[in-house]
Amino acid sequence: MIIANWKMNGSKELIEVWLNFVSKNIKIIDGKDCIFCPPSCYIDFSKHLIEKTNQSIRLGSQELDSLLSKPLTGGITAEMLVEVGCSFVIIGHSEQRIHLNESNELLSNKLVSAIDNNLTPIYCVGETAKQKKSNQTKEVLLEQLDVIQSQIIDKCIIAYEPVWAIGTGESAEISYIEEVHSFIKEEFKNTTDFSKEISVVYGGSVNLENYKETYNSSQVDGLLIGGASLNHSTFTKIYNMS
Ligand code: PGA
């Protein structure tokens, strides 16, 4: 799967240009989802544009709230996301963990709420530069992965996004990505009776120079692309040629 994470970027005009170009030029193949995650306010607009094309571009949300027992001004529930056409939702992105102070308990609730409503979570994990330097990567990942309750593991996609690689232009080396992805996959194999291998996608400064090597690795099940996904021809090339 190839995922475009637009973060806090875009406008109706830019989305229309992007979707027109991508839908005309992309060759979507079975088993390789093309997932577009615009800002929440443009999801419904994007859904209507996608419906006019004959392409099965899927929609994902960058946001989900799960504090259902209390009123939450500004909140968006999983039901709402499904109603406006989402099939996926990004949960635990490091930018939200850091800036919105998301706790493990909150992330665990968001994952359950997504699954309960048939949304597939793209659950982001990754270490900071400081944690990597002090050899804490595996420990940090285990703590982040621990929030996934065992009964929902088979319905989650994991996105490994080293924090130091996000938006920096400094993608992780392929050997390092492979080591971490294999660690995550083994961890799930060893600790659960989940027989299918979990999907682990990579994100962090994926661009036209590095996508091929990363996507071609047998340990990598897809790409989560931020900055480079904003350009319609770059995104289309990465999808078609990976
Ligand atoms: P980037 O962002 O590709 O701009 O590094 C990836 C992400 O944050 O999902």
Side-chain angles (χ1 to χ4, degrees), residues 5 7 90 93-95 124 161 165-169 203-206 224-229:
N5 174 14
K7 310 194 182 191
I90 298 173
H93 193 286
S94 59
E95 288 154 6
C124 302
E161 294 207 305
I166 296 176
T168 58
S205 294
V206 173
L224 176 51
I225 313 172
S229 74

